[in-house]
Amino acid sequence: MPSLPVVSLTSAPAKDVDVLVVGLAQTAGTEVLVGLPDESATALAKAFGRPPADVVRDLGGSAKNADTVLLPGLAGQRLIVVGLGDIDVSPEQVRRAAGAALRAASALKAERPLTLALSLDAIEPQVIKGAVEGALLGSYRYRETTGKPGVASIQVVTTHARKPEARHALDLGVATATAVSRARTWVNTPANDLYPESFADEIVKAAKAAKLSVDVWDEKALEKEGFGGLLAVGGGSSRKPRLVRVGYAPRGAKFHLALVGKGITFDTGGLNLKPADGMYTMKSDMSGAASVIAAVTAIAEAGVKLKVTAFAALAENMPSGTAYRPSDVLTLYGGTSVENGNSDAEGRLVLADALVKATEDRPDLVIDVATLTGACVVALGERVAGLMARDDETADLVLDAAEAAGELFWQLPVPEEARGKLDSKVADLRSTADRWGGALTAAAFLSEFVPESISWAHLDIAGPAFNPHEPYHYVPSGGTGMSVRTLVALAHAIAG
Ligand code: BES
Ligand code: MN
Ligand code: ZN
């Protein structure tokens, strides 16, 4: 895995850093530089022959959040001025600014890896954490394809560098960003390298490194126990399906969170073959599985006091002579029969198997994460994920965690009428309905596999899990790691 820069806290930037990042913020109708040390400001004013803020303005610098401009600094140093937005900064404003600044720095011409100081007046622990996460996430690269050496070390400048709260914020930021990066790399790995068996191997490695328990069901074990969803969906591929469980059970935990991730390592649509345009990005259809596994490793690393069990439901959805057909009736794990309405609605089938398995242990809350429906992308666009739950208390718990983590979720309903559309003449349930409200129908389907007595939330990350466009803020092209931060924040919130 490509390595992230090393991050530290400092009360003043080292004089010899290669790149100094400062902010430009909006306040009372004017723009002010934030974080530029007094002596640097004086020296720059002398060198430029006028106030640095004027030079920034002439070069097109703006206080708009995450706009960046490059200036020559002192003594061969380079200065990046990044827009913070309103001076009353939120953690997310700083996260975005830090991400944009690090992307700009990583693209600089250089002979060797760069050292960088990020000076944005971060004081509050949440803002420090935002700066750390933004900087690391903005530094992320899947492969060293740019030919640029990039940034090797980041000093986050804060007057609170020695405070325990600040150090804690640094550690949490590093653990979270590391988990997001791990999820991104799994998503970015092409499906000829990352398939159910190899992904399961990777998960086992990651779990063992984090001292977590791990169990893998191979195709024989899946058959023996009757995981009819995974077997049907994975049946068309020569790469056989897997179910992986990763467990974290610290002493004294009072709450059990179960996480279930959709892990379709490639979704061709099966016999309901996707058109070429829609298929190209489908190596990302395992993003939910990547998120839940990355999240449990970060939660364990931080020693959060709650029990977490994460399931990755892994299969490759391929058309072939052994593929499952539209109208096939499958018996899922636990015995529910399902009529397959469309072989491209594969995610809900593998999730149903895993949800039934996950709820056998009676967790207090189960959350599934999935790139489940194109309909959710139509409803909410490419940057906002859908959140569905059976009760608003659970929805609010997740929405609050998402807000704290700086991820965009919007609640969609699971209306009663949606379940009615899933009646089948030949099975307990049909997997698909008409084209209206597809995200809600999918949620209604999943809901059938979680007992009413267990709280449940469903995150449809089909839009934001993968960015097929240019990078922005701290979001790269390709896998984004969407939902990892929310899950980690949620675990912290629950454990208190
Ligand atoms: N993996 C797709 C959903 C998806 C679409 C994710 C676009 C990311 C971007 C999923 O398996 C799928 O194909 N869903 C179908 C369901 C339909 C057949 C009921 C869809 O959304 O069209
Ligand atoms: Mn599909
Ligand atoms: Zn899919």
Side-chain angles (χ1 to χ4, degrees):
M1 202 160 48
S3 60
L4 292 172
V6 178
V7 196
S8 58
L9 299 184
T10 180
S11 50
K15 294 272 175 290
D16 62 350
V17 287
D18 299 315
V19 184
L20 175 64
V21 177
V22 301
L24 189 65
Q26 188 79 45
T27 176
T30 61
E31 300 186 334
V32 293
L33 281 167
V34 168
L36 185 64
D38 287 344
E39 62 278 16
S40 307
T42 313
L44 280 170
K46 207 168 150 200
F48 292 139
R50 57 212 182 99
D54 292 359
V55 181
V56 169
R57 192 173 322 113
D58 288 356
L59 287 173
S62 104
K64 183 164 170 255
N65 193 198
D67 269 9
T68 60
V69 63
L70 177 70
L71 273 73
L74 297 163
Q77 192 174 70
R78 280 174 281 189
L79 186 62
I80 291 174
V81 180
V82 63
L84 284 168
D86 190 278
I87 197 151
D88 203 5
V89 291
S90 68
E92 177 62 6
Q93 275 170 267
V94 172
R95 197 180 280 111
R96 291 180 178 191
L102 264 290
R103 280 195 297 105
S106 305
L108 289 173
K109 270 218 176 80
E111 255 87 69
R112 54 183 173 75
L114 299 166
T115 59
L116 178 146
L118 183 65
S119 186
L120 301 174
D121 259 3
I123 296 171
E124 297 282 310
Q126 285 307 316
V127 173
I128 293 172
K129 179 166 170 275
V132 171
E133 288 178 353
L136 286 174
L137 296 177
S139 308
Y140 173 85
R141 291 190 279 185
Y142 170 51
R143 292 178 62 199
E144 307 305 317
T145 49
T146 60
K148 305 275 198 296
V151 174
S153 76
I154 301 167
Q155 305 174 353
V156 174
V157 183
T158 168
T159 51
H160 287 201
R162 281 158 189 280
K163 296 233 162 118
E165 307 89 273
R167 312 215 138 263
H168 187 59
L170 168 68
D171 292 344
L172 284 183
V174 171
T176 305
T178 304
V180 174
S181 302
R182 160 174 281 158
R184 286 177 177 180
T185 294
W186 277 335
V187 173
N188 288 331
T189 306
N192 58 328
D193 288 332
L194 193 102
Y195 44 92
E197 184 182 2
S198 66
F199 193 8
D201 290 346
E202 288 285 311
I203 294 171
V204 169
K205 260 193 262 166
K208 287 195 170 152
K211 298 198 172 66
L212 301 173
S213 71
V214 56
D215 300 281
V216 179
W217 284 257
D218 64 10
E219 69 268 31
K220 287 207 187 69
L222 292 172
E223 236 155 77
K224 206 168 142 215
E225 296 185 39
F227 286 94
L230 278 155
L231 289 166
V233 171
S237 174
S238 59
R239 320 280 212 185
K240 292 303 166 201
R242 295 286 184 273
L243 177 66
V244 187
R245 175 174 61 196
V246 174
Y248 167 61
R251 233 177 258 276
K254 291 193 185 67
F255 191 97
H256 183 190
L257 171 65
L259 301 174
V260 174
K262 170 178 172 181
I264 300 301
T265 54
F266 198 81
D267 183 11
T268 63
L271 290 173
N272 293 84
L273 199 65
K274 284 183 184 296
D277 282 354
M279 202 191 293
Y280 181 70
T281 59
M282 281 301 130
K283 68 173 182 180
S284 67
D285 211 21
M286 35 53 73
S287 295
S291 281
V292 301
I293 301 298
V296 69
T297 60
I299 292 163
E301 201 184 315
V304 187
K305 227 166 122 194
L306 85 168
K307 179 173 166 178
V308 183
T309 314
F311 291 82
L314 311 179
E316 184 177 52
N317 189 21
M318 296 288 268
S320 80
T322 56
Y324 77 128
R325 312 156 194 79
S327 83
D328 277 2
V329 175
L330 320 169
T331 304
L332 303 191
Y333 182 73
T336 303
S337 64
V338 173
E339 179 192 0
N340 176 36
N342 184 319
S343 295
D344 198 10
E346 81 298 337
R348 60 199 73 186
L349 299 174
V350 302
L351 286 169
D353 268 355
L355 281 168
V356 174
K357 185 80 216 168
T359 50
E360 273 180 355
D361 302 337
R362 312 297 308 171
D364 299 289
L365 169 63
V366 55
I367 299 182
D368 73 77
V369 186
T371 46
L372 203 59
T373 66
C376 196
V377 193
V378 172
L380 299 176
E382 292 173 283
R383 294 193 186 182
V384 181
L387 157 71
M388 282 143 273
R390 285 191 296 229
D391 65 284
D392 284 343
E393 212 179 307
T394 303
D396 289 344
L397 190 69
V398 177
L399 288 173
D400 288 349
E403 163 99 50
E407 291 191 314
L408 298 172
F409 282 87
W410 197 260
Q411 191 180 353
L412 299 173
V414 191
E416 226 149 79
E417 122 237 351
R419 169 61 187 85
K421 292 205 232 168
L422 294 171
D423 284 337
S424 167
K425 291 199 168 71
V426 294
D428 297 334
L429 206 59
R430 196 184 132 98
S431 63
T432 58
D434 56 19
R435 55 191 293 257
W436 312 116
L440 324 184
T441 327
F445 179 87
L446 296 178
S447 171
E448 290 292 306
F449 298 90
V450 180
E452 285 286 347
S453 57
I454 297 176
S455 301
W456 165 73
H458 159 59
L459 311 184
D460 193 335
I461 58 169
F466 194 85
N467 173 23
H469 311 292
E470 290 301 308
Y472 61 93
H473 307 158
Y474 47 78
V475 182
S477 297
T480 64
M482 172 65 169
S483 80
V484 173
R485 275 154 41 212
T486 295
L487 295 175
V488 174
L490 178 70
H492 277 102
I494 290 170

